Amino acid sequence: MSKGKDSGSSKTEGGRPASRVSMHQIEVFRALMVAKTVTAAAEIVHISQPALSRIIKRMEDRVGFRLFDRVKGRLVPTPEAMELYADVEIIHKKIDDLNFSIHRLATGEDVAFRFGASPSLGNSVVPRALRQLRERYPRLVVHVDIVALNELVDYLMLRKGEFVLTVFPIKHPMVRNQKIGVGRMICAFARDHRLARQETISARDLADEEIIGFDVDSAHGRMVHAIAQAAGVSFRFTTFVRFAETALILAEQGLGVALIDEFTAMGAHRSIGATRLLADPFTLTLYANTSLHHPLSAHGTEFLRILKREIPQSL
């Protein structure tokens, strides 16, 4: 039998076109080749011996040549069967590889899941959600990148990670902004600060305080400005920082009052200061920013589902 492959129907020795064989027939044929006996082969594929014999006979009718000869009571593969078996083993190996890949992807075994986050989220909500994801995929390899503001778009466009978590939407025509949840704005200060006696803090309570500020173009900077503007007060900024985590640490050390999101506060491993809810109804929205052309993996989808479940959708 020639091993040449043709897109049309192949010819048998008698010139009659050979019919296609089914995957089940191939499975039974391989079992018989491996097991050597009908009894053992039937056990491998979980069918009766008469059923196996019928399947082999039907397969021989379809291919147009004998697959086995009976010699002294034993089934002996024909030369054609041996040649066919070589191709069947290649197919069997590919199916095994496919099943292994499916198992690996489903369980997260040796699969790399990579995403980015702003510093405040990377130190707060990310670890909590990752713990739950790891419970489902214990062998999943995770890469968490803390991404700077000026690197966000390149991170997504160059496919460095599946998404970036931020407290503001990334404005770009090729980026999709998915709302994950909202967090409240809070005040942070030293534990012995006079404001620690209050249950909530209003923007007017901060009029005479030293405020730790942010770059006016940052998400936190814009939010602090909006809070002051809505209350009709002017904050007195004495220190400026880039990250909310830095503002929290400075506030805890008595270097001023920080207006930050509650995500940042929940990420503090050891809080030596005090925090209070801001009475004014200001919130920051957590976004998962993804590329329009790069779909999420199963692990990415599950991770965002966990975040949505853990973070309030509205306040």
Side-chain angles (χ1 to χ4, degrees):
M1 185 178 86
S2 173
K3 296 193 70 172
K5 305 297 188 292
D6 185 20
S7 59
S9 60
S10 60
K11 298 286 187 177
T12 64
E13 292 177 357
R16 180 170 54 87
S19 300
R20 293 181 181 273
V21 296
S22 69
M23 285 301 298
H24 184 52
Q25 288 172 331
I26 293 174
E27 180 185 16
V28 171
F29 168 73
R30 181 181 182 275
L32 189 52
M33 291 290 292
V34 171
K36 310 296 185 185
T37 69
V38 173
T39 302
E43 291 179 357
I44 292 175
V45 292
H46 307 292
I47 60 176
S48 66
Q49 296 178 39
L52 186 142
S53 297
R54 287 195 298 270
I55 291 172
I56 292 297
K57 179 62 171 65
R58 193 174 302 120
M59 184 176 178
E60 288 178 329
D61 290 342
R62 288 200 171 189
V63 299
F65 51 80
R66 295 189 323 280
L67 295 172
F68 297 92
D69 288 327
R70 188 170 292 276
V71 179
K72 297 182 179 180
R74 295 177 60 251
L75 289 179
V76 178
T78 63
E80 291 84 0
M82 294 300 295
E83 187 171 349
L84 183 61
Y85 178 62
D87 285 339
V88 167
E89 280 298 275
I90 294 174
I91 296 171
H92 181 74
K93 175 63 167 56
K94 293 295 184 182
I95 292 175
D96 274 353
D97 291 345
L98 175 62
N99 286 328
F100 175 77
S101 295
I102 291 172
H103 171 76
R104 184 172 55 86
L105 291 170
T107 60
E109 183 177 342
D110 299 325
V111 175
F113 167 46
R114 189 167 203 145
F115 67 94
S118 64
S120 61
L121 300 176
N123 291 326
S124 55
V125 297
V126 166
R128 297 169 183 236
L130 275 182
R131 184 179 65 243
Q132 296 183 50
L133 186 70
R134 182 58 59 79
E135 290 173 356
R136 177 167 180 179
Y137 303 105
R139 301 190 65 177
L140 179 65
V141 178
V142 181
H143 296 266
V144 182
D145 298 316
I146 301 302
V147 186
L149 182 64
N150 61 349
E151 300 173 343
L152 294 173
V153 174
D154 283 348
Y155 186 85
L156 292 174
M157 295 300 100
L158 297 177
R159 301 186 68 176
K160 295 181 179 179
E162 293 193 24
F163 54 81
V164 177
L165 299 174
T166 60
V167 290
F168 56 89
I170 297 177
K171 300 298 184 181
H172 190 277
M174 303 306 295
V175 174
R176 178 189 295 109
N177 311 124
Q178 180 181 351
K179 179 181 174 182
I180 300 299
V182 295
R184 297 166 294 186
M185 293 296 291
I186 64 173
C187 291
F189 34 76
R191 197 172 289 277
D192 60 353
H193 196 283
R194 68 173 185 85
L195 294 174
R197 296 190 294 269
Q198 300 179 205
E199 291 296 323
T200 59
I201 310 297
S202 70
R204 291 188 175 277
D205 293 330
L206 304 176
D208 298 325
E209 296 294 330
E210 295 183 351
I211 305 298
I212 301 171
F214 303 91
D215 184 349
V216 69
D217 291 328
S218 68
H220 286 89
R222 289 192 294 269
M223 182 59 68
V224 171
H225 177 75
I227 291 171
Q229 189 175 45
V233 299
S234 296
F235 289 153
R236 183 163 60 94
F237 298 103
T238 57
T239 307
F240 285 89
V241 297
R242 184 179 181 184
F243 300 116
E245 299 89 340
T246 309
L248 175 62
I249 294 172
L250 295 182
E252 290 176 338
Q253 294 295 330
L255 296 174
V257 176
L259 290 168
I260 59 175
D261 60 280
E262 63 177 333
F263 304 131
T264 301
M266 76 171 63
H269 300 293
R270 181 181 58 86
S271 179
I272 61 174
T275 59
R276 295 290 184 273
L277 282 174
L278 189 67
D280 308 88
F282 282 92
T283 61
L284 279 178
T285 301
L286 191 160
Y287 291 93
N289 303 277
T290 61
S291 169
L292 287 174
H293 294 307
H294 305 146
L296 296 180
S297 67
H299 308 109
T301 301
E302 176 65 13
F303 182 79
L304 295 185
R305 187 190 67 80
I306 293 171
L307 280 180
K308 282 187 174 182
R309 187 180 64 212
E310 296 298 318
I311 299 174
Q313 300 301 298
S314 62
L315 295 172

